[in-house]
Amino acid sequence: AIVAMVALHWTRRPLPVVLFLAGILIFSGTLYTMALTGHRWLGAITPIGGILLLAGWASLWIIRPALAD
């Protein structure tokens, strides 16, 4: 994902970068917090991070013709 962000020239196309970073922070952050604190209610938030990661990959797929230029 980091290689994709660097190769993307994120100043031209910031959406995938934002989606990946938000997805990583929410998905991994809630899992780490659950593991360290035992707050199980964060398990309800974790899938939102996964959806954002999937949306990041989908946005890369959608803008791929623009990246070929």
Side-chain angles (χ1 to χ4, degrees):
I2 293 172
V3 173
M5 286 184 242
V6 171
L8 191 61
H9 303 285
W10 69 275
T11 55
R12 280 186 15 200
R13 308 270 187 219
L15 181 64
V17 174
V18 170
L19 290 171
F20 275 119
L21 291 177
I24 290 168
L25 288 174
I26 294 172
F27 185 78
S28 298
T30 56
L31 290 177
Y32 278 117
T33 305
M34 281 175 38
L36 295 175
T37 65
H39 294 299
R40 297 292 174 209
W41 60 271
L42 289 170
I45 300 171
T46 304
I48 295 170
I51 290 170
L52 289 172
L53 287 169
L54 290 172
W57 285 112
S59 67
L60 279 177
W61 184 76
I62 290 168
I63 66 169
R64 76 187 188 293
L67 296 176
D69 294 336

